[in-house]
Amino acid sequence: MATPHIAAEPGDFAPAVLMPGDPKRAERIATLLMPDARVVTDVRGMLGFTGTVDGRPLSVMGSGMGQPSITIYATELFSVFGVQRIIRVGTCGAISPAVYIGDVIIAQGAHTTSNINQLRLPGLNFSSVADFGLTCAAVDAAASLTGADAPQVHVGMVVSDDHFYLTNLDPQWWTKLAQYGVLGVEMEAAALFATANEFGKQALAVLTASDQLFDPLSKMSPEQRETRFAGALRLAVAAAFS
C-alpha cells in the first residue's frame, strides 16, 4: 500500500534499509552492492531500491536532509512496509580533534539542537541512542577494515543540528561539545533513533567525516563526498545483516 511519500507495495522493502541523505547516493550504493537492484519508489525524486547481497535481501533509500525529512520516511518504512532496521549512511563534520577527514564515526547516540523529540515526550530530555546490537555489529566489522585505505573508526556521540549555515553560534560551543566527547555534527541521527524507538525497531548511523570544524580548509570535495564512503558502507552492511 502506497503512502503519501513512498509509492511501494507490501514486500517491496527488505527488513533492513541503508539510508543515505542523497537519493543519487542511494542509487550509487544500490548499484555498487546489488546487481539485481530494482526501483521500488521514486516519489518526489526520493529513490528507493531493493535487491540482494549474497542472496540476502537489502534495500537502500534516500532520506533527504534534516530531521523532519528522515522522520517522515522512517515512520512510513517502520509502520507500513515492515522494515525492522534502518542504518543511516552519511557524512558529518568532525568536532573532536581526534577525528580526521575520511574517518568513520559509529554514532552510539545523538544529542540535538532540535525540539523534534521533545514534541514526542513534552517535558523530557529524551536520550536518543542507537540500537545496541547494530552498534556492536558495526564495531565488530570495523576490525575487518584493513589496508592503507582503511579508515580510522571512532565510536561515540554526535550532535544532530537543525542549521547548516547558522553563523551566530559562539565558536566556543563546538569546543565545549568536543570537551564533552562529541565526535561530529550531522543533521538526522537523533530523529532517526527516536523514530525507531517509537515503533520498537532498530536504527544506527555510520558517518564519514567530510570536514573538520576546527580546520575550515580541510574538507572533502563534492566528488570525494560521493566516493569516500566504502569503509562506512561495509560497516553499515554488516549491521544490516547482523
Side-chain angles (χ1 to χ4, degrees), residues 5-79:
H5 306 94
I6 300 175
E9 296 299 324
D12 278 348
F13 281 94
V17 178
L18 305 186
M19 186 164 274
D22 183 355
K24 289 296 185 181
R25 187 178 298 164
E27 183 175 28
R28 279 186 283 274
I29 291 173
T31 301
L32 178 66
L33 293 178
M34 304 178 295
D36 60 345
R38 61 186 177 92
V39 177
V40 294
T41 184
D42 61 358
V43 176
R44 302 190 183 198
M46 194 57 69
L47 301 172
F49 304 84
T50 295
T52 57
V53 177
D54 297 329
R56 295 175 292 183
L58 182 69
S59 294
V60 184
M61 183 177 175
S63 71
M65 291 183 287
Q67 297 184 83
S69 184
I70 200 169
T71 297
I72 288 172
Y73 292 111
T75 294
E76 294 181 6
L77 290 171
F78 285 143
S79 65

Side-chain angles (χ1 to χ4, degrees), residues 177-237:
L177 283 174
Q179 290 173 346
Y180 276 76
V182 177
L183 300 176
V185 56
E186 52 87 73
M187 300 185 73
E188 289 85 23
L192 172 61
F193 296 164
T195 305
N197 292 154
E198 178 184 358
F199 291 100
K201 308 296 185 178
Q202 299 173 292
L204 180 67
V206 184
L207 310 164
T208 302
S210 59
D211 53 284
Q212 169 54 256
L213 269 66
F214 295 108
D215 183 8
L217 297 180
S218 180
K219 61 180 62 179
M220 288 184 183
S221 68
E223 293 77 17
Q224 289 174 320
R225 284 174 177 262
E226 300 307 322
T227 58
R228 286 186 63 182
F229 57 80
L233 187 57
R234 286 179 60 181
L235 303 188
V237 171

Side-chain angles (χ1 to χ4, degrees), residues 91-169:
T91 57
C92 69
I95 294 176
S96 168
V99 179
Y100 295 90
I101 304 303
D103 285 5
V104 172
I105 295 173
I106 300 170
Q108 64 183 146
H111 310 295
T112 182
T113 60
S114 172
N115 71 344
I116 193 167
N117 291 336
Q118 291 182 0
L119 294 172
R120 299 173 181 274
L121 298 163
L124 178 69
N125 290 322
F126 180 79
S127 297
S128 193
V129 297
D131 178 78
F132 181 73
L134 298 188
T135 304
C136 288
V139 171
D140 289 344
S144 69
L145 298 179
T146 59
D149 295 331
Q152 180 70 33
V153 178
H154 309 264
V155 184
M157 299 296 294
V158 298
V159 58
S160 299
D161 193 6
D162 270 350
H163 290 277
F164 191 86
Y165 287 115
L166 190 64
T167 59
N168 63 354
L169 285 176

